Amino acid sequence: MSAPWAPRPTDADVLAAAARARVGAVRAGLAGGDLSAPRELTAVVVVEDIDPAAFVAGAASFALALEPGARAGWYRAFTRTVFLAGRPGSVAGRHPHRRLAPGGGLAWYGPATRRELSALSRMLRAFQGPFPVEVPPGPLAVRVPGRPSGHRVEMTVATGRVRSDAYLVHVHHLVTEAVLRGLVGPGDAVRVEHREVLDPRDFRAALDPGRAATVQTRISRDGTDHDRLRLYGVLISNRDRGGH
């Protein structure tokens, strides 16, 4: 127990502790996962249009469809993903995708080794989007493909001073890691809220390591101040299956 006079942790302390917990969980691997699974795996998303609802549903569907070895290996690679600008319909003739988002503006490949994905990477350029990211004004209601499960997921994402390409990175990590950990499943209802800034004080309970079983966070260096950590996303699930 902390001494009664111990200072309250600062926002920086809270974010640093949550970030360390995520790194430790990834290194430990998924519960029941094969620790010998290859870790040099990368996913690729070909982006024509950014539709936040389709992106969340597509990312979840992609992660849910992975076989156990790929799930374990990609998770231990911190769900590394490359975003390339292109038209999925045109690319599919030479490079069939694994998953296509509703509307056809986003397509997923891998996860595979960089060598296996090199032809696709040489064909397309890295995706770069406008600053800041443009999102709908109100909350989004997203249904993960599958029969309605009755489970609910609350997801909050920062958009202030966030480029479109960075938004894709943050949301993709948040959603796919939550899927791989069992926090998001087929048919789940996901409510997505966008805010300019996520104040760590508003999410103190969710950032508590004791809540890790039902929470996924996205914490990274601030895009304008690399000496500072910033909270980019919080996902809270009513599924109590967040073991690692």
Side-chain angles (χ1 to χ4, degrees), residues 5 25 56 63 74 84 99 108 116 137 141 159 184 200:
W5 57 84
V56 170
W74 191 42
L84 303 176
R99 187 68 54 177
W108 279 259
E116 293 174 290
T159 58
V184 178

Side-chain angles (χ1 to χ4, degrees), residues 181-206:
R181 294 180 55 215
L183 298 181
V184 178
D188 284 1
V190 183
R191 181 182 183 276
V192 184
E193 179 184 353
H194 295 98
R195 299 185 189 178
E196 283 287 305
V197 176
L198 303 192
D199 188 334
R201 289 172 292 184
D202 294 337
F203 297 93
R204 283 274 178 149

Side-chain angles (χ1 to χ4, degrees), residues 132-174:
V133 63
E134 295 182 7
V135 295
L140 298 175
V142 179
R143 176 77 66 182
V144 178
R147 184 177 180 180
S149 65
H151 290 284
R152 302 181 309 279
V153 178
E154 297 286 335
M155 182 172 151
T156 312
V157 182
T159 58
R161 297 181 288 107
V162 177
R163 290 177 58 97
S164 296
D165 46 344
Y167 173 85
L168 294 178
V169 171
H170 297 316
V171 172
H172 205 259
H173 280 301
L174 192 66

Side-chain angles (χ1 to χ4, degrees), residues 38-159:
R39 284 187 283 182
E40 299 304 314
L41 297 179
T42 301
V44 168
V45 183
V46 175
V47 183
E48 180 179 9
D49 298 309
I50 298 181
D51 178 334
F55 181 59
V56 170
S61 181
F62 169 73
L64 284 166
L66 298 180
E67 59 275 10
R71 292 169 65 94
W74 191 42
Y75 180 71
R76 294 181 69 208
F78 291 89
T79 57
R80 184 170 50 233
T81 304
V82 174
F83 296 89
L84 303 176
R87 299 180 64 183
S90 300
V91 175
R94 294 178 59 183
H95 300 281
H97 50 256
R98 178 187 285 266
R99 187 68 54 177
L100 186 68
L106 299 143
W108 279 259
Y109 294 81
T113 64
R114 289 183 179 272
R115 181 177 181 180
E116 293 174 290
L117 297 168
S118 61
L120 182 62
S121 297
R122 287 195 299 267
M123 180 180 175
L124 303 172
R125 71 182 189 280
F127 176 81
Q128 293 183 328
F131 181 89
V133 63
E134 295 182 7
V135 295
L140 298 175
V142 179
R143 176 77 66 182
V144 178
R147 184 177 180 180
S149 65
H151 290 284
R152 302 181 309 279
V153 178
E154 297 286 335
M155 182 172 151
T156 312
V157 182
T159 58

